[in-house]
Structure formats: structure tokens, C-alpha cells
Amino acid sequence: MPEQLVYAMEVFLNGLMAGVLYALVALGFVLIYKASGIFNYAQGVMALFAALTLVGIMEGQVPFAHLINAAFGTDIHHFGWHVPALLAILLTMVVMIGLAWLVNYFVFRHLVSQEPIILFMATIGLAYFLEGVGDIMWGADIKKLDVGLPQGINEAIDEFTFGVFDYGFFIDNLDIVATVIAALLVASLIIFAQYTKQGRAMRAVADDHQAALSVGISLNYIWVMVWSLAGFVALVAGIVWGTKSGVQFSLSLIALKALPVLMLGGFTSIPGAIVGGLIIGVGEKLFEFSIGPLIGGATENWFAYVLALLFLVFRPQGLFGEKIIERV
């Protein structure tokens, strides 16, 4: 049926757009893992914290207002001004760079050459700490984020004519913008990782901390730089997801959807994060469209994880990941 074909095309395109949003979160995981060998469980919470901070700065909200009011008996909540979106984004990036320095200074510089499981556990603690700080700092209510990105439905194709049938379908404007942003971000990160001195140093640190130190690479500098980049990626993801669904604490759960993306694309590949995201986005939408009605629906909740499980069985390093061979 022509009508079914048009619907399938609409599902396919919307799946591509959803995949880009997943990939934006997965990029932060890849950056941290590629540079330090750390699987950063806190990446989703970093996106939440960045979005909360951005909204707080834009609205002129007083940080820790509830704590201050409880301690001193005051009733202050806002400074009385609003900050333009661009300036607020720049200020939020400064906050994320400061967060990167604090994380390295108080946590990871003390864990050089420790086992990966110890570093992973440290990021779990960091995730819960940031979530608590974000709650105390900006409050737990759902916030609206508007930085001027286009929203609403865009009629992608006005009219398909199949004989006497006319069909059209729609795509979210925000998804189109997110796709462009993700493409530019990935291109920039690939150029940085492959063709700059800092990018090569980043890969050396990931291979062996002690060897990198022995050739004069500053581990502290590299880790602060990489966590700052991950903070920037988290800010971009937080802006897009926060604009789409509101800034709320469930935003931190998008990290869970990034895990299958990483398993498909590979933990060390920046392009793999995008390809994995597109596969997951398109796969879950098409599966729900074609198979979902036959088995009761709601397949989007588990399809990505089943697909990732199959990849773990047959190709554990992912499509673009490096196969590790250990000689004993």
C-alpha cells in the first residue's frame, strides 16, 4: 500500500532524528573513555546539571536559594534579571569547565593507574553527588528551556501523489536542528582527536597513564581538557533534550539509552557513536511500526537493549571499536 510506504518513510526519518539525540549523549561517554579509559556513568547527570544551570542563569535564579532561606530565614529566589541565551550558554560552559577541574582535582588525580572498576565506581558516586547538588542548587521542579531553537512540526513533504492518493508527513524542527548540530560537533571532535597535538596526547593517556607521564604528557591537563569537552557535549545534549522535553531529573536517564548506542558503535569511536545512535533510533522506530502491533506494542523500551545484547555476543567491540588482543 502506498499509504503504508509513506508512513514507513516518516517512521524512518523520525528514527534517524531520535538516533541523533541518543548519539549526542553517547559522544560524552566516548570522549571520556577514549582519553582516560573511564566509563563515565555520570555523563547523563552532567547533561542534566548543565541544563539546570543554563535555565537557572537565564532566569536569574539564586543558586542554593532553598538552603539560604532555610539557614537565614530569608525569602529570596531570583536576582530580578534575565540573562540572554547566548551569554547564559557561555557562562554555563565556564561552570562546566570549573566542574571538570574540580572533578580532576578532588577525585581522579588520586586514582591514577587504578583498576578500571575503581574509576567506574568513582563516576557512579560522582553521578549521585551531581544529582544531589543540582537539586539543592536549582530545585527539583520541571523547568522550561528556550534558547531560541526552532520548535514545532515541519511538514517535510507537502504531498506524495500515488495515483489518486495524496499523503504528507511531518518532522520536528528541533530534530532537524539537532541533526545539524550533531554533524558539526562530530566533525569538530574527529578533527581535534586525529589532527591536533592535544588529541594525540589524549589517546596516549588512554593507552597507558604511566607511559604518558614518562614522555612528559601532563595527565592533569589532559583529564581536565577531556572532562571539559565532555561537559560541553553534555551541555549541547542538555540544551536539545531540555528544549524537547523540559529540564527535569528524569533527563539523567537518557544515559541508559546511550549504553546500547555505545555497544553498537564502540566505546572508542566518535563516528561509531553517531552510527550506533542512528541504528538504534531507526531500528526501534521501525520495529515498533512493523512488529509492535503484533506483540502488544511498547517495544521501544527494550528493543535497543536486545540488539545491544546480540552485538555483545557476536561482536563485543562494536562496529567501530578496536579489537583488544592480550598476549599472555
Side-chain angles (χ1 to χ4, degrees):
M1 287 286 295
E3 184 178 1
Q4 290 297 313
L5 176 62
V6 174
Y7 289 158
M9 291 177 64
E10 180 178 2
V11 170
F12 178 83
L13 287 176
N14 281 284
L16 286 177
M17 303 301 178
V20 168
L21 297 180
Y22 298 152
L24 280 176
V25 182
L27 279 172
F29 285 97
V30 171
L31 280 173
I32 298 291
Y33 192 84
K34 193 177 181 67
S36 59
I38 301 172
F39 178 77
N40 179 26
Y41 182 84
Q43 186 64 32
V45 182
M46 288 173 63
L48 167 66
F49 184 80
L52 286 172
T53 303
L54 177 58
V55 173
I57 292 175
M58 287 180 64
E59 295 182 354
Q61 186 176 344
V62 178
F64 304 104
H66 295 290
L67 190 62
I68 294 171
N69 292 336
F72 299 100
T74 55
D75 187 25
I76 57 172
H77 296 281
H78 293 82
F79 290 110
W81 65 65
H82 291 272
V83 179
L86 182 58
L87 178 58
I89 290 172
L90 293 176
L91 291 174
T92 304
M93 192 61 240
V94 172
V95 172
M96 298 307 291
I97 292 173
L99 175 64
W101 182 86
L102 291 172
V103 166
N104 179 68
Y105 184 82
F106 288 105
V107 181
F108 290 109
R109 75 186 185 100
H110 302 290
L111 300 177
V112 175
S113 299
Q114 294 293 327
E115 293 294 325
I117 186 62
I118 295 176
L119 297 172
F120 174 63
M121 293 301 292
T123 67
I124 294 178
L126 177 64
Y128 285 105
F129 175 78
L130 281 180
E131 193 165 343
V133 169
D135 186 2
I136 297 172
M137 192 172 182
W138 303 112
D141 54 312
I142 299 175
K143 299 171 176 61
K144 181 180 179 181
L145 177 59
D146 183 7
V147 296
L149 295 179
Q151 300 183 58
I153 298 300
N154 175 64
E155 190 165 358
I157 299 178
D158 292 330
E159 193 175 78
F160 272 115
T161 303
F162 299 94
V164 297
F165 298 102
D166 293 329
Y167 304 107
F169 60 80
F170 304 90
I171 297 176
D172 194 325
N173 283 319
L174 181 61
D175 291 342
I176 298 174
V177 173
T179 302
V180 175
I181 292 173
L184 294 174
L185 190 60
V186 169
S188 302
L189 291 174
I190 291 174
I191 292 171
F192 173 80
Q194 298 294 333
Y195 301 107
T196 66
K197 180 179 178 181
Q198 290 80 7
R200 291 190 292 270
M202 182 177 73
R203 299 200 305 273
V205 168
D207 289 337
D208 192 313
H209 296 170
Q210 294 297 339
L213 287 170
S214 68
V215 296
I217 296 176
S218 172
L219 196 60
N220 286 332
Y221 170 75
I222 293 298
W223 277 10
V224 169
M225 178 191 71
V226 171
W227 279 84
S228 297
L229 285 174
F232 173 71
V233 173
L235 173 59
V236 174
I239 290 173
V240 174
W241 279 96
T243 302
K244 188 178 183 67
S245 57
V247 179
Q248 50 191 315
F249 276 76
S250 61
L251 189 65
S252 62
L253 299 179
I254 59 175
L256 298 179
K257 209 52 176 287
L259 296 180
V261 174
L262 294 168
M263 294 172 190
L264 265 67
F267 281 83
T268 59
S269 174
I270 293 173
I274 294 296
V275 174
L278 295 180
I279 292 174
I280 292 293
V282 171
E284 68 179 16
K285 297 293 184 185
L286 288 179
F287 191 85
E288 174 67 27
F289 173 73
S290 58
I291 306 297
L294 303 177
I295 58 177
T299 61
E300 290 186 39
N301 295 329
W302 53 263
F303 172 82
Y305 301 99
V306 173
L307 184 60
L309 179 61
L310 293 175
F311 265 77
L312 286 176
V313 172
F314 296 104
R315 189 177 173 83
Q317 72 272 25
L319 293 173
F320 295 85
E322 300 173 359
K323 190 172 184 179
I324 299 174
I325 301 175
E326 293 186 1
R327 293 176 175 85
V328 294

